[in-house]
Amino acid sequence: MDQDPGVYRREAAVGGRRSDAVVADLVRMIQSGNLQEGERLPAERDLMQRYGVSRAAVREAILSLANRGLVETRLGHRPIVRKPGYEIAVDKIVDLVSHLVVEREGVWNLFETRIFIESALARWASNRARRDDVEELRAALEANRQAIGSSTAFDETDAAFHAVLYRIPGNPIYPAIHKAYVEWLTQHWRSMKRGADIDQMNYAGHRAIFDAIVMRDPDNAEEAMRRHLVAAWEFVRSTFPTEG
């Protein structure tokens, strides 16, 4: 923090709210590495003195940084710098989209994108999964089998099985997207009809996907995933009131 505080006061006077100039400088420092990931921001009083602004302006600036995913805030603690990344970016989308998935049409629009993406991921895995990927998928499948009849454990291992497919291409955007799907859809999964028979059906879907990937059969892998998720949608749809 090496710029003259008077500069910030002049920038704020010319360019609008005082907090905007504070945000702009802190963003610059985070992006340049002058403020490192995991480092705490200076105390509010120090920021007030440095930038010549009120406590309210400092808090507004910190809120803006938090909304961008650049700092993590906790009550009673100084904010911690977070490195911008795909997961943070997707987290912001989760917040924006969450209000769209309370109605059937919104959830279907979201679920349809999941069918599209995961069908493609299953095809990719059948063509390009390495031995380690297959073994990780095998272990996830076995954990899912062992969880049949235990709703919470089955949901967790179900998500874990699909998560492996998102990791196989090695693109960090895909796991971030999977995390968003889980957060968006968890409330619907938890309100679906439960039972060991339903778990068994879902496990069978996972097994069919896995078998096609092991056999290096992209067409069957894609189709098995599509069948599995279309069947899953029927259960999700059942969580909404019947239209009358």
Side-chain angles (χ1 to χ4, degrees), residues 7 40-41 59 68 113 133 182 187 219 230-231:
V7 172
R40 294 190 182 277
L41 290 184
R59 290 181 175 178
R68 299 185 193 190
T113 68
D133 297 325
V182 171
Q187 62 176 325
D219 290 338
V230 167

Side-chain angles (χ1 to χ4, degrees), residues 207-228:
R207 181 79 207 193
I209 296 163
F210 174 78
D211 287 345
I213 290 172
V214 170
M215 294 298 292
R216 302 295 182 182
D217 187 336
D219 290 338
N220 275 339
E222 180 177 346
E223 181 57 29
M225 178 65 78
R226 188 176 301 278
R227 285 198 308 269
H228 171 60

Side-chain angles (χ1 to χ4, degrees), residues 161-174:
F161 174 83
H162 288 268
V164 176
L165 294 170
Y166 282 83
R167 291 196 295 270
I168 287 175
N171 185 325
I173 294 178
Y174 293 138

Side-chain angles (χ1 to χ4, degrees), residues 61-193:
I62 290 172
L63 178 61
S64 177
L65 293 173
N67 287 338
R68 299 185 193 190
L70 294 175
V71 300
E72 178 182 344
T73 58
R74 288 177 55 198
L75 186 63
H77 298 270
R78 282 158 49 198
I80 298 174
V81 174
R82 293 184 68 184
K83 183 179 179 180
Y86 297 116
E87 186 168 324
I88 292 174
V90 173
D91 280 345
K92 299 300 105 181
I93 298 174
V94 170
D95 293 339
L96 292 172
V97 174
S98 58
H99 72 284
L100 300 177
V101 295
V102 295
E103 296 181 351
R104 186 196 306 255
E105 182 179 3
V107 177
W108 165 246
N109 288 336
L110 178 65
F111 208 89
E112 186 179 37
T113 68
R114 184 188 173 201
I115 295 173
F116 183 85
I117 290 173
E118 292 197 21
S119 296
L121 289 173
R123 172 173 283 275
W124 174 282
S126 68
N127 282 321
R128 306 195 186 187
R130 299 165 300 180
R131 180 178 300 176
D132 289 349
D133 297 325
V134 172
E135 290 308 310
E136 186 179 6
L137 198 60
R138 189 191 307 276
L141 180 68
E142 175 59 18
N144 188 230
R145 185 190 67 79
Q146 293 181 11
I148 291 173
S150 175
S151 297
T152 300
F154 191 87
D155 286 348
E156 291 174 353
T157 57
D158 187 328
F161 174 83
H162 288 268
V164 176
L165 294 170
Y166 282 83
R167 291 196 295 270
I168 287 175
N171 185 325
I173 294 178
Y174 293 138
I177 291 173
H178 177 256
K179 179 175 179 287
Y181 281 137
V182 171
E183 292 187 14
W184 279 324
L185 296 169
T186 292
Q187 62 176 325
H188 298 287
W189 290 339
R190 289 177 177 170
S191 59
M192 290 188 313
K193 181 181 178 182

